[in-house]
Amino acid sequence: MTSPSHMNDDRGCLRLVLAVPLTLLTLIAAYFCWTALTIRPSGTWDDDAYAGIVLSCVLTIGAAGAAAALWLVPSVRRAVPWWWISPALLLGAVAGVRWAVGG
């Protein structure tokens, strides 16, 4: 008789627990990336809109970086596959491009 190892049983619960902060950080990054993409300055004189774009981009990159830093912890990497972090990293890259192009 073979029984599943105790390590595999804990991994499912650990994934569920770690999914909460990773999901929250990804949702925060998505919200601020959306705001960075939807803010439209009225003209070249609209410094407040440009500041809002930069702030949204910085917060998106910060949330994506926090999610990546959480994933880099060895115990998290063993439990959570790499593709769980890819949406946050993609949002961070989009925010970086928005910041470079229009911020």
Side-chain angles (χ1 to χ4, degrees), residues 3-98:
S3 63
S5 69
H6 184 63
M7 178 76 130
N8 290 338
D9 293 337
D10 289 342
R11 229 178 245 180
C13 183
L14 185 61
R15 279 188 187 163
L16 183 62
V17 169
L18 293 173
V20 173
L22 286 175
T23 302
L24 287 175
L25 287 169
T26 302
L27 287 174
I28 290 168
Y31 172 74
F32 285 113
C33 187
W34 175 77
T35 59
L37 293 173
T38 57
I39 294 173
R40 299 284 182 233
S42 298
T44 56
W45 49 267
D46 197 358
D47 293 333
D48 291 336
Y50 287 113
I53 292 169
V54 170
L55 179 63
S56 294
C57 290
V58 167
L59 291 173
T60 301
I61 293 169
L70 177 65
W71 185 78
L72 286 175
V73 175
S75 61
V76 177
R77 269 187 291 150
R78 281 193 298 270
V80 178
W82 67 269
W83 52 266
W84 277 42
I85 197 67
S86 60
L89 295 178
L90 180 64
L91 289 166
V94 168
V97 169
R98 173 65 170 141

